Amino acid sequence: MQFKGTERYVATGDLSMAVNAAVTLQRPLLIKGEPGTGKTMLAEEVAQALGKPLLRWHVKSTTKAQQGLYEYDAVSRLRDSQLGEEKVNDIKNYIRKGMLWQAFDSEEQVVLLIDEIDKADIEFPNDLLVELDKMEFSVYETGERIVAKHRPIIIITSNNEKELPDAFLRRCFFHYIQFPDRDTMEAIVKVHYPDLQHNLVKEALEIFFEIRSVNGLKKKPSTSELIDWLKLLMADNIPADVLKQGGNTNAVPLLHGALLKNEQDIHMLERLAFMARRAQR
């Protein structure tokens, strides 16, 4: 079965091709792109489209690769031994399966999302090389050898906060999600708000892309922020003509807190608005 996007997710031809290529090659799919471009949501929609269960492993700065395999709770075992618990005799009672182990152990093929891998330590990707390549690992405490029953479809996201090691990149199929053009963005908006007035969408997209085109913004608004902004415009019943009057190239748009996320960018647009007013005198 080929992935072509879903009713909730607009996938470009290049993105669909990347997903299907990674599945065919049985390689992890490494997805990069601006925050808010739907990298995490992609895994959810691939799982839905292919009819597979989804497992999520959200990586943090403190996450270690070993946690994806398993964790041995030696402290609980020591405490239980002091209390005379019988279960201390079986060390398996103190081993907690990680997401990779759960994916390997599943009776059916699953989609495994490793989200924001670049948040972790630089050694994190290298520590998973063998497991992602050979689809097996050993449990030191019990001597078990865990082998994947079905090779999971692995989708790895990165916000490019750190460079990933070459050895890790070699084992992945890579795709960078380009920021959507106007037509694609309009299709995305239509998926989320099919009943939204065309004039309002047109004017909102005009303002959105004008803001993104301003040089020097610390953080350009993303797709998810556009969706939030449109939700607010709908909630306040703001018509397209009012939006047009309040938000042109040189002005801070209405309800700009959904689009602009720091004071430097707001001040920059305010200065542009001031300079534009002076030029018109």
Side-chain angles (χ1 to χ4, degrees):
M1 185 176 179
Q2 297 285 298
F3 176 73
K4 297 179 181 179
T6 66
E7 293 181 355
R8 298 191 312 157
Y9 193 92
V10 177
T12 62
D14 288 345
L15 179 55
S16 298
M17 188 181 299
V19 172
N20 295 322
V23 172
T24 300
L25 291 173
Q26 296 186 326
R27 295 278 189 183
L29 174 61
L30 175 61
I31 294 288
K32 290 186 179 183
E34 289 185 33
T37 50
K39 300 186 296 295
T40 300
M41 190 177 180
L42 173 65
E44 300 170 0
E45 298 307 308
V46 168
Q48 178 186 327
L50 301 182
K52 309 285 186 184
L54 174 65
L55 297 178
R56 299 177 177 87
W57 183 12
H58 297 291
V59 177
K60 301 178 181 179
S61 58
T62 56
T63 303
K64 303 298 180 184
Q66 179 64 31
Q67 294 172 306
L69 307 179
Y70 68 92
E71 291 183 273
Y72 169 52
D73 192 350
V75 174
S76 293
R77 192 182 187 200
L78 175 61
R79 184 185 64 242
D80 288 346
S81 67
Q82 294 171 339
L83 296 174
E85 297 283 350
E86 290 186 7
K87 64 179 184 178
V88 298
N89 297 318
D90 188 352
I91 197 171
K92 291 182 179 179
N93 291 324
Y94 302 92
I95 291 178
R96 184 173 59 195
K97 295 180 180 180
M99 283 299 170
L100 271 174
W101 189 340
Q102 293 178 43
F104 288 2
D105 211 29
S106 175
E107 295 299 331
E108 59 178 313
Q109 187 183 45
V110 303
V111 174
L112 173 62
L113 168 64
I114 304 178
D115 200 22
E116 298 187 330
I117 194 172
D118 52 324
K119 279 188 175 180
D121 184 84
I122 189 61
E123 291 303 320
F124 180 91
N126 280 334
D127 291 341
L128 292 176
L129 290 181
V130 174
E131 290 77 11
L132 294 180
D133 199 17
K134 303 295 184 182
M135 289 288 146
E136 63 179 71
F137 65 91
S138 296
V139 181
Y140 175 78
E141 289 77 7
T142 64
E144 291 179 273
R145 180 166 166 266
I146 308 300
V147 180
K149 296 177 181 177
H150 303 280
R151 195 177 190 98
I153 298 170
I154 300 176
I155 297 178
I156 303 170
T157 71
S158 169
N159 286 324
N160 235 6
E161 293 182 8
K162 295 190 186 83
E163 288 294 327
L164 299 174
D166 289 346
F168 177 79
L169 295 174
R170 183 175 63 81
R171 289 164 168 81
C172 298
F173 188 93
F174 172 75
H175 181 74
Y176 184 88
I177 297 181
Q178 297 289 346
F179 196 83
D181 58 24
R182 195 177 298 262
D183 290 340
T184 304
M185 189 65 81
E186 190 169 348
I188 292 171
V189 169
K190 190 173 182 180
V191 165
H192 287 271
Y193 305 118
D195 300 325
L196 197 58
Q197 292 181 359
H198 176 73
N199 289 342
L200 180 60
V201 173
K202 181 180 178 181
E203 193 57 45
L205 287 179
E206 191 71 26
I207 294 170
F208 175 76
F209 279 103
E210 283 174 350
I211 292 175
R212 281 188 58 86
S213 69
V214 174
N215 292 324
L217 285 183
K218 189 173 181 180
K219 183 192 179 307
K220 295 182 178 181
S222 67
T223 307
S224 62
E225 287 155 347
L226 171 62
I227 299 301
D228 288 344
W229 187 45
L230 286 170
K231 185 176 181 179
L232 288 175
L233 296 178
M234 291 171 58
D236 288 354
N237 292 316
I238 295 177
D241 56 344
V242 173
L243 186 63
K244 185 174 183 178
Q245 294 168 8
N248 53 55
T249 322
N250 302 309
V252 178
L254 297 171
L255 300 168
H256 60 267
L259 296 174
L260 303 170
K261 299 304 174 78
N262 59 74
E263 63 277 13
Q264 294 97 319
D265 291 346
I266 295 173
H267 292 160
M268 177 180 288
L269 291 186
E270 287 174 342
R271 286 197 300 272
L272 289 174
F274 174 75
M275 292 169 62
R277 287 194 296 270
R278 291 195 61 180
Q280 291 171 1
R281 292 177 181 174

